[in-house]
Amino acid sequence: MNKTTKTLVAVLVILGGIYAIQRFTSRTSTTELIKPFAGVDTSAVNRVEVDFAGKIILERSQGRWMVTSPVKSPADPGQMNLLLTRIASNPEASVVADNMSDSSAYGFDEDAAYAGFWSTNGKVIEMRIGRLTPDFNGCYIQLTGDNKILQLGTNIRTLVGQPLTDWRDKQIFSFGTSDIETVDFALGDTLYHFFHSDTSWQVNGVRVPEMEARDLVSGLIGSTALGFIDSTVTPSPLIIDYGITLSNKQHIAGQIFKSAGSEVTFGQLC
């Protein structure tokens, strides 16, 4: 390569660098960055509404989240914690449009989602949620009462768009083996009465190896739901009737039915 060629290449590299810097400074100087959730205290939030394929209402009482509509059911604490943590992280957002007559370009059409948060003092924040950003790491949002369209630096659309089943707590029992005093299993006409003391397990008055008894009881109370049946239709055939008495004298009773494949259905919990 001769001297003239080297000089030309050097000039092109310098010009390219200047052009890149100009593009960067131009973009950053005109991009307005805001934190739309800066005033949100998620620890005070006690009501959340989400709507994508149907409105779901979740409410917190005495530290516990419940789905209150369209069904009444304990809420999945992990799902609620993840959503509120995303809000509490106070992500930045850039203004991509100040006022658009046609916001469908950002997903604010029939596919838009909705999320609203309330505390005891009233509404905290409401928003519509459009499509994901091209890198799938964020989404577009529009706060209620504000015409700006924001590009949010975190993805809350996927969370808000979860079906009802994912908002419900799939842990069937909320206690451990150490909380149990007795367990009764009825298989047809045969009753198995498990009694737990501080040092041992007994079945029908006979002491049994603690590990085997604990594994059986743990298998029952450690079960998680794959789905929910909210109708009063009784599946069949019936496998087991069970009753559990806790050390605080609370009693839980129900039935286990055979379902498809290796799955079983828990019913009539009380």
Side-chain angles (χ1 to χ4, degrees), residues 186-248:
L187 285 74
D189 295 330
T190 305
L191 175 66
Y192 296 91
H193 178 72
F194 286 68
F195 174 75
H196 180 228
S197 68
D198 292 336
T199 58
S200 66
W201 282 88
Q202 295 181 11
V203 178
N204 294 345
V206 178
R207 185 169 179 172
V208 296
E210 182 174 358
M211 182 174 294
E212 282 79 353
R214 186 177 295 275
D215 286 348
L216 189 152
V217 174
S218 296
L220 171 66
I221 66 174
S223 301
T224 56
L226 298 175
F228 300 90
I229 301 172
D230 295 310
S231 67
T232 56
V233 176
T234 302
S236 60
L238 174 66
I239 302 177
I240 299 172
D241 283 292
Y242 67 87
I244 303 171
T245 301
L246 304 182
S247 54
N248 63 3

Side-chain angles (χ1 to χ4, degrees), residues 53-206:
K55 181 182 286 188
I56 300 170
I57 300 176
L58 306 111
E59 297 180 272
R60 176 160 54 184
S61 177
Q62 298 180 342
R64 186 182 186 189
W65 281 99
M66 296 287 295
V67 178
T68 58
S69 180
V71 297
K72 295 188 183 299
S73 174
D76 187 322
Q79 181 83 351
M80 294 305 303
N81 182 64
L82 186 56
L83 175 60
L84 294 175
T85 298
R86 292 278 176 90
I87 300 298
S89 67
N90 197 18
E92 285 188 337
S94 58
V95 179
V96 296
D98 287 317
N99 191 355
M100 287 191 66
S101 57
D102 180 14
S103 57
S104 61
Y106 294 98
F108 294 99
D109 47 24
E110 64 273 8
D111 289 328
Y114 163 86
F117 301 82
W118 284 261
S119 71
T120 52
N121 296 323
K123 182 179 70 175
V124 177
I125 193 169
E126 284 183 287
M127 71 195 80
R128 291 197 304 155
I129 306 169
R131 62 177 172 82
L132 298 179
T133 53
D135 61 4
F136 300 102
N137 292 323
C139 59
Y140 299 100
I141 67 170
Q142 189 173 41
L143 302 181
T144 299
D146 191 342
N147 291 328
K148 293 186 179 70
I149 293 178
L150 308 177
Q151 179 175 325
L152 189 66
T154 190
N155 176 11
I156 61 172
R157 179 184 169 90
T158 302
L159 277 174
V160 169
Q162 296 296 321
L164 174 61
T165 297
D166 288 352
W167 291 101
R168 299 174 69 170
D169 191 359
K170 298 173 187 63
Q171 190 67 43
I172 297 174
F173 301 105
S174 58
F175 50 84
T177 54
S178 60
D179 301 314
I180 294 174
E181 186 174 281
T182 66
V183 180
D184 292 309
F185 293 108
L187 285 74
D189 295 330
T190 305
L191 175 66
Y192 296 91
H193 178 72
F194 286 68
F195 174 75
H196 180 228
S197 68
D198 292 336
T199 58
S200 66
W201 282 88
Q202 295 181 11
V203 178
N204 294 345
V206 178

